[in-house]
Amino acid sequence: MPRPLWSGAISFGLVTIPVKLMSATEDRSVRFHQVHTEDLGRVRVRKYCEAEDREVAAGEIGKGYEVSRDTLVAVTDEELEQMPLPTAKAIEIVAFVPAASIDPVRLSGDSYFLQYDGPVAAKPYVLIARALARNTKVAVAKLAWHGRERLVLLRVRDGALVAHVLKWDDEVRDPSELAPKEAKVTDSEIDEALQLVDSMTTDDISGYQDEYRKALEAVIEAKAEGRQPPKPSTEAGEPGGQVVDLMAALQESVRKAQAARGEDAGDAEVHEMPKKPAARKPAKKTPDKKTAKKTATAKKPARRQRGA
């Protein structure tokens, strides 16, 4: 486990649980340095003071808020730590809500484990963890950390409390203008889509891996050893770009998903949608001789009447 990032206590009514905040995830992305392409010399970012026109050390750098274009207000770390916030050293639980009521878009992506801090914290820690594990609710709490107050969701994983940082309401944009307004789908297409959902449903996503990172590491390893990087695979063809019948595409998707799970789904094919013909006048039918004769005979009196 990495070192604790924060220490304080969970405030649960009159119960106080000393805890330490530990990062629950790690970034495994491949990172690059900026270099001068001609000689691979490192390109570094240096911090200069505009007033003195010189480079400054990290210890000389503080925080300043721009009140107006020409006015900055300095705020020290000590002042931030001494702000009169009840959540400064506590994760204050403010409510319990159904887990399904939390919109996933509010999850910021930052997750942390909460480690109980000391023998006294063990019993209340286990108490709240088991209480959460026995129902479908999660705890919503407030925490002041890194210069701001955060809203966090608390849940249980393998007996340990996990904190997920949530976005505040005003940090989530309104997506109402993004959805298509005119597109129509049939009930049959929706039913087929639901069947596809069922055929792709799983309880375990642990088998998925970062294929991009693996390919990038292979490129770096090859170049470090003086070899040519691996060639891209040509097995996966380019997207066809054809317009396909939606229902047929859904049926074929269901068949493939069921086949991947070892289920017998029968045969299905995806057919290209027939192209809509350009607007044109209806073709004139060629009448047979009898019909033409009757028509001509029927029209003669009409022509005599018009000429009268």
Side-chain angles (χ1 to χ4, degrees):
M1 273 295 168
R3 63 181 181 83
L5 302 173
W6 177 92
S7 63
I10 298 176
S11 174
F12 174 36
L14 298 178
V15 178
T16 300
I17 312 169
V19 292
K20 295 179 180 179
L21 200 69
M22 322 283 286
S23 180
T25 61
E26 57 181 329
D27 187 358
R28 300 292 300 278
S29 301
V30 177
R31 299 187 179 277
F32 297 98
H33 293 299
Q34 288 187 322
V35 297
H36 185 202
T37 54
E38 293 186 3
D39 52 22
L40 295 184
R42 287 283 300 276
V43 176
R44 300 182 183 275
V45 178
R46 301 185 183 278
K47 298 182 179 180
Y48 275 78
C49 172
E50 294 180 354
E52 300 182 10
D53 191 24
R54 68 176 181 87
E55 186 178 349
V56 293
E60 300 178 78
I61 300 174
K63 297 179 177 66
Y65 182 82
E66 187 175 3
V67 178
S68 62
R69 189 167 187 176
D70 300 319
T71 306
L72 287 172
V73 174
V75 180
T76 67
D77 292 336
E78 292 75 13
E79 290 170 333
L80 294 175
E81 292 175 359
Q82 294 172 6
M83 286 193 305
L85 281 176
T87 56
K89 294 297 288 184
I91 300 175
E92 181 185 3
I93 295 177
V94 294
F96 291 89
V97 299
S101 69
I102 300 294
D103 187 345
V105 77
R106 298 190 62 174
L107 295 171
S108 70
D110 296 327
S111 301
Y112 304 92
F113 289 132
L114 290 169
Q115 180 187 38
Y116 72 93
D117 192 5
V120 176
K123 186 171 182 177
Y125 184 99
V126 172
L127 175 65
I128 187 174
R130 291 186 178 177
L132 286 173
R134 288 191 182 185
N135 59 52
T136 59
K137 294 185 176 63
V138 293
V140 176
K142 296 171 73 175
L143 164 67
W145 184 40
H146 279 192
R148 58 178 298 189
E149 190 170 55
R150 301 165 189 262
L151 198 65
V152 297
L153 176 153
L154 300 182
R155 67 178 185 89
V156 180
R157 178 179 178 180
D158 297 332
L161 292 174
V162 187
H164 303 280
V165 179
L166 297 173
K167 296 289 187 183
W168 296 98
D169 282 339
D170 59 1
E171 293 180 316
V172 179
R173 295 189 176 100
D174 181 9
S176 59
E177 298 299 321
L178 304 181
K181 301 296 189 294
E182 303 299 328
K184 303 293 184 183
V185 293
T186 66
D187 289 340
S188 297
E189 289 169 338
I190 295 174
D191 291 340
E192 199 67 35
L194 290 174
Q195 187 176 351
L196 177 58
V197 170
D198 290 339
S199 64
M200 296 179 65
T201 298
T202 180
D203 295 328
D204 183 17
I205 61 170
S206 60
Y208 296 105
Q209 299 180 7
D210 186 348
E211 301 295 338
Y212 178 84
R213 177 167 59 89
K214 290 171 61 178
L216 183 55
E217 289 173 346
V219 170
I220 293 172
E221 181 181 357
K223 298 201 71 174
E225 296 175 356
R227 296 183 285 107
Q228 287 294 321
K231 298 295 182 182
S233 173
T234 57
E235 294 181 1
E238 293 293 329
Q242 295 181 345
V243 178
V244 296
D245 178 78
L246 180 58
M247 178 62 77
L250 287 168
Q251 292 172 345
E252 175 67 4
S253 299
V254 170
R255 186 192 68 80
K256 288 185 176 181
Q258 291 176 337
R261 298 169 67 120
E263 302 174 8
D264 184 12
D267 296 328
E269 294 181 358
V270 179
H271 302 282
E272 184 177 358
M273 287 184 65
K275 296 180 180 178
K276 291 183 178 180
R280 58 184 181 185
K281 296 180 180 179
K284 294 182 179 180
K285 295 183 179 179
T286 304
D288 55 26
K289 292 181 179 180
K290 292 182 179 179
T291 306
K293 187 175 181 180
K294 290 179 180 179
T295 304
T297 305
K299 287 183 178 179
K300 284 180 181 179
R303 283 198 294 270
R304 286 198 297 269
Q305 290 174 0
R306 286 196 297 269

